[in-house]
Amino acid sequence: MRGKTVLVTGGAGYIGSHCCVDLIEAGYDVVAVDNFANSVENDGVAPSLKQVERITGKSVTFQKCDLLDRDSVIKLFKQHQIDCVIHTAALKVIGDSMLLSLQYYNNNLIGTINLLEAMEMANCYDFVYSSSCTVYGDPEFVPITEDHPTGNVKNVYGRTKYFIEEMLKDLSNSDPKWNIISLRYFNPVSAHPSGLLGEDPTKENHYVLPYIVSVALGKKPHVTIFGRDYKTPDGTGVRDYIHIMDLASGHVAALKKLGGNEKLGFQAYNLGLGRGLSVLELIKEFEKVTGTHVPIVYAERRVGDAGAVICSTKKALSELNWAPKYGLPEMCQDLWRWQTMFPNGYKTEKISHEYLVVGGWNLVYFLNNKDWSQSQVTGNVSVIPSSSSSPSSVNEMASSSSSATNQASGGGAAGGGDGDGNPNKQPQKTDEQSKQVVMPFPTHMLPEVCKFMPVEELWKLADVSSEWRTIVLPFIMERTMNVDDGAAGGGP
Ligand SMILES: CC(=O)N[C@H]1[C@@H](OP(=O)(O)OP(=O)(O)OC[C@H]2O[C@@H](n3ccc(=O)[nH]c3=O)[C@H](O)[C@@H]2O)O[C@H](CO)[C@H](O)[C@@H]1O
């Protein structure tokens, strides 16, 4: 018998990709679509979904598709026998939504209408919608139950969520064939426990936990806490944070509910932990779990923010037979694992001859990360060859790199780099350097590349700068020359 096929819109995104893992593990076949509005694209491929395949060992059918392209959406349902839909695709940056209101209404509402129409044409009526606790507005009471009034929403993004919910209620009233579950997410955070999958939006957001991480990584100087005069135990804003994998399992539970015999019409369920946590508590827990220090400064309240938003999980617990499994320590741990394993998210570098010796460093990076299968390391990767290259080319590079390195390290680096691991002292790669002709790097020689520099040194450099590719270049060049001279013994 054919298993059920679920269409996941926004499948390459944060929520969608994590849902795919759980759906596949629960035995569903997944067709994922995305227009890459806020997720990383790699020549039409979704790196996040490649990670999903890696985690699950199963393949995900993916199609690039914009829900605003009605014909393509209709075609999707002709190409695939879709039984149910999880609709996570939406524009969601609150600040942008206030400036680009028409774009937000157009994308979120029209995209959803196109999808629902295509479903109707294909006789597919089981629908799970990604909603948000934002539909409750500033809560009148906490914990918030699903019968809390909705609609008092202060931003355009939130209003698109509210309007769509209203539309879905009307739709389910107009035709009893529809079975619709709206999942009202509280604050989804963290990453898959493997560290292989996480949040990597292409549009910047200012959600608090990702911000805490960037401070811990040294990318930002401090976390600004918006408001310390709320009526909460420590005065800072209280939210209900939920691990992304708990959120994902909530979708599987919703699909199971839709697959039952019950006529649901429209039903809303909260997905949260059922526990409020202040910004200060969150930071303290994060510091404890990760062993990092996160400086803070206080500022005025952020316009539109509520004091405390806490979820009542009762309805989901009893009717969806779902319960969150992850607590705050796991949320912090898993997020930190993802962020340290993939400091640049899914943006793997295309390593080509233009990257020259830096390719050697990239290889070292991926080897150490035990994840270089995910990189685009191919035969194009190049390093300065030790003996078989054109000497003039190597000398040229060496002299430019050596003078640059000397200059940067106070003149003591010739013949091996100063090795002090301080990338701030290092010169930047110039275009000219990067365009030197080199030979393709055969992958069986990977270990040899590592000889160019102690791996620890490279790691030090990687840890302190995101500009590591350009920074490491002169080091590698010098080391390569040493290999040429026989100092490091047979290079590639
Ligand atoms: C009103 C609204 O639409 N809320 C959305 C927003 O919730 P939130 O505004 O609750 O998420 P958030 O992560 O931006 O803020 C959480 C808490 O941290 C505080 N904070 C945040 C950032 C910072 O740099 N410093 C700081 O103190 C903020 O004042 C609040 O008390 O995002 C959620 C996703 O995670 C949901 O999409 C919510 O629907």
Side-chain angles (χ1 to χ4, degrees), residues 94 132-134 155 157 185-188 206-209 211 223-226 230 237-239 241 279 302 304-307:
I94 292 170
S132 163
C133 65
T134 198
N155 59 72
Y157 152 76
Y185 310 153
F186 280 64
N187 291 55
H206 290 281
Y207 295 140
V208 71
L209 197 49
Y211 205 92
V223 174
T224 304
I225 298 186
F226 301 128
Y230 286 108
V238 165
R239 293 293 183 272
Y241 299 92
V279 180
R302 196 169 60 176
D305 265 1

Side-chain angles (χ1 to χ4, degrees), residues 421-441:
N422 182 354
N424 299 327
K425 288 185 183 178
Q426 300 310 314
Q428 298 294 300
K429 176 185 70 163
T430 65
D431 282 352
E432 216 177 85
Q433 282 172 330
S434 71
K435 281 182 188 142
Q436 300 289 333
V437 178
V438 289
M439 63 186 277
F441 180 70

Side-chain angles (χ1 to χ4, degrees), residues 301-323:
R301 291 180 181 196
R302 196 169 60 176
V303 177
D305 265 1
V309 182
I310 305 169
C311 169
S312 164
T313 55
K314 270 193 193 148
K315 190 177 174 197
L317 293 178
S318 68
E319 295 185 19
L320 293 183
N321 199 19
W322 163 89

Side-chain angles (χ1 to χ4, degrees), residues 70 119 245 257 315 330 459:
R70 191 170 180 273
M119 287 180 70
M245 292 318 295
K257 180 88 175 165
K315 190 177 174 197
E330 292 87 9
W459 268 119

